[in-house]
Amino acid sequence: MKFLFIHQNFPGQFKHLAPALAQRGHTVVAMTMQQTGVRQWQGVTLVPYAASRGTTPGVHPWVSDFETKVIRGEACFRAALQLKAQGFSPDVIIAHPGWGESLFLKDVWPAARLGIYCEFFYHPQGADVGFDPEFPAPDAEGDACRLRLKNLNNLLHFEVADAGISPTHWQASTFPERFRNKITVVHDGIDTQAVTPNPAVSPTLTTQSGARLTLTRADEVITFVNRNLEPYRGFHVFMRALPEILRRRPTAHVLIVGGNGVSYGAQPDPQRYGGRTTWREIFTAEVRPQIPDDDWARIHFLGNIPYPYFIALLQLSTVHVYLTYPFVLSWSLLEAMSVGCAIVASDTQPLHEAIRHDDTGRLVDFFDVAGLVNEVCALLDDPAARQRLGQNARAFAQANYDLQTVCLPRQLAWVEGLAK
């Protein structure tokens, strides 16, 4: 069969599924906005394309998001027409619709079956929007109107999609009931045979002073990982917990992984924060006066790091902290479970499927800084609890999120059902 994948940053969530289909002898093509010059990847033919214009300056703020998606959708549509002219006609299209690229593909290939990755449906209440009162929307009254239009992309895809796939039950539950019965819940998958505990791990990092520091499992290490350090993933809560954690734990090292941009939330307003332009700058300035120099030297901001080094840091972790708004669940949380981390996580909906309190981790109220401090310190004092939680977390990840035995077979079964 012929499969076409659509993802602006391919492979994204399809990094296992697309190669698996190619390995089974199918023709697999992927359209992407990445301009790398590479035309083949693990048996997948890559077709790059680009938007011909940007969003209109001064366009109404409620429709700017949708205009951007239409621009990208048209770019993908034009590139698809070229593919069709070259004789390519997919049996199945599998798309992440979040950026709008797949909006018009059924107009190119009406007979193709379309499966979409259902990551999140926006709501004015009960999910991420309005969850954190510290960061109110600039136009709180109009935010519900903006979100209704933001969901236009989802709604238009529902009209043409034959099926959906969602990584968690909670994310699937955010979608309207009339489409939810088309959604199959299957996670992207974690390679639990590769992402394993390693008692002998001993990574070396560069401290703020430029010195080299090698840590082992004998050291007390607290880890915190985001793609970007931002409030959506609880960076502000974690930073506010550090003065007391460091005071109580005089030998602990804190390893913070993540960039200085934003992945989901908004950029900070420099006028509100004294000209500071990143969340790291803002919350560092807030807590730094409360932390003595010797304690501050035990905090290590590592930025974005290569994947093997990231796994090594999780393997090193004594206690891993993961916080999130009610939003999409991070791969990093499941990877931390797979390596057997003792996890302290926020008691928010995305976590409830993976972290069962005092079984596969510990849950704390997202906003409870003192509760976070107490839970982290209690686990640091309790090796037996850490071992039990870590073993349970790994067993749960293997049973529910393993790539080869659970997730990829279910993804392939979903594709086969879609192809009928």
Side-chain angles (χ1 to χ4, degrees):
M1 298 186 70
K2 296 179 182 178
F3 290 90
L4 174 64
F5 283 85
I6 308 294
H7 196 299
Q8 59 96 26
N9 191 32
F10 184 84
Q13 289 85 354
F14 308 132
K15 67 178 181 179
H16 304 300
L17 178 57
L21 289 169
Q23 289 167 11
R24 290 188 167 206
H26 300 295
T27 299
V28 183
V29 175
M31 297 179 66
T32 176
M33 296 191 78
Q34 290 191 90
Q35 305 293 324
T36 63
V38 177
R39 292 295 182 266
Q40 288 285 331
W41 174 80
Q42 296 191 24
V44 180
T45 300
L46 304 180
V47 179
Y49 64 95
S52 60
R53 50 162 292 183
T55 305
T56 306
V59 72
H60 193 291
W62 292 355
V63 299
S64 62
D65 177 80
F66 186 62
E67 187 195 20
T68 300
K69 289 176 169 57
V70 170
I71 290 168
R72 288 172 173 240
E74 184 196 7
C76 192
F77 169 76
R78 302 291 179 192
L81 288 175
Q82 293 182 13
L83 264 182
K84 183 178 182 180
Q86 295 166 11
F88 181 72
S89 181
D91 299 294
V92 175
I93 302 170
I94 301 172
H96 191 313
W99 299 273
E101 281 88 352
S102 46
L103 272 170
F104 310 115
L105 293 185
K106 289 279 273 192
D107 297 287
V108 181
W109 295 292
R113 302 278 287 174
L114 173 61
I116 58 174
Y117 189 90
C118 297
E119 190 162 26
F120 197 69
F121 192 90
Y122 295 92
H123 293 266
Q125 296 176 333
D128 58 324
V129 174
F131 173 74
D132 193 337
E134 185 174 344
F135 308 102
D139 177 18
E141 294 82 2
D143 219 33
C145 307
R146 179 185 65 83
L147 287 174
R148 283 183 64 195
L149 291 175
K150 190 176 179 70
N151 277 323
L152 271 177
N153 177 54
N154 279 318
L155 296 171
L156 288 172
H157 274 94
F158 297 163
E159 291 185 358
V160 294
D162 297 288
I165 190 168
S166 189
T168 70
H169 289 279
W170 184 76
Q171 286 168 250
S173 77
T174 66
F175 286 81
E177 188 65 43
R178 62 185 180 275
F179 189 74
R180 202 179 304 163
N181 63 358
K182 291 187 176 182
I183 299 175
T184 299
V185 176
V186 184
H187 194 268
D188 313 322
I190 302 298
D191 188 350
T192 66
Q193 299 309 306
V195 183
T196 61
N198 180 10
V201 68
S202 58
T204 299
L205 55 92
T206 302
T207 67
Q208 297 179 56
S209 66
R212 302 286 282 172
L213 174 66
T214 299
L215 297 170
T216 72
R217 291 283 297 171
D219 295 296
E220 194 168 271
V221 176
I222 301 162
T223 50
F224 182 82
V225 173
N226 294 167
R227 185 186 309 169
N228 281 296
L229 304 176
E230 58 184 323
Y232 253 68
R233 297 305 196 194
F235 177 63
H236 55 318
V237 177
F238 181 71
M239 288 294 285
R240 289 165 181 166
L242 288 184
E244 182 63 12
I245 289 175
L246 291 167
R247 187 189 69 78
R248 292 195 201 177
R249 314 303 302 188
T251 64
H253 288 271
V254 180
L255 308 185
I256 301 175
V257 174
N260 293 323
V262 296
S263 297
Y264 307 110
Q267 294 278 2
D269 180 358
Q271 292 186 331
R272 178 180 174 183
Y273 296 106
R276 297 182 180 93
T277 59
T278 71
W279 295 114
R280 174 180 165 181
E281 291 176 323
I282 289 162
F283 296 113
T284 294
E286 177 182 324
V287 306
R288 182 65 179 89
Q290 307 168 46
I291 302 177
D293 290 349
D294 287 348
D295 287 350
W296 185 254
R298 294 186 284 122
I299 301 176
H300 311 286
F301 288 94
L302 303 177
N304 296 121
I305 59 177
Y307 186 75
Y309 190 49
F310 157 68
I311 295 300
L313 295 186
L314 291 180
Q315 292 167 333
L316 178 70
S317 180
T318 313
V319 172
H320 180 69
V321 177
Y322 177 80
L323 309 172
T324 184
Y325 285 11
F327 197 57
V328 301
L329 188 67
S330 302
W331 286 340
S332 68
L333 182 276
L334 301 177
E335 287 161 329
M337 295 179 72
S338 185
V339 304
C341 285
I343 298 167
V344 178
S346 58
D347 191 4
T348 45
Q349 294 99 316
L351 275 302
H352 293 167
E353 289 175 45
I355 302 297
R356 300 180 299 209
H357 183 64
D358 205 32
D359 179 14
T360 56
R362 299 270 176 86
L363 295 171
V364 296
D365 184 274
F366 180 92
F367 302 105
D368 186 0
V369 174
L372 177 61
V373 171
N374 290 336
E375 205 64 82
V376 169
C377 292
L379 274 182
L380 291 173
D381 275 329
D382 194 340
R386 294 199 308 271
Q387 183 177 19
R388 173 177 59 83
L389 294 174
Q391 288 176 344
N392 289 350
R394 174 159 173 77
F396 190 88
Q398 289 177 301
N400 294 278
Y401 301 109
D402 180 70
L403 174 66
Q404 297 299 336
T405 62
V406 180
C407 296
L408 188 56
R410 291 179 181 173
Q411 290 171 18
L412 290 167
W414 174 75
V415 169
E416 289 171 358
L418 181 62
K420 292 179 181 177

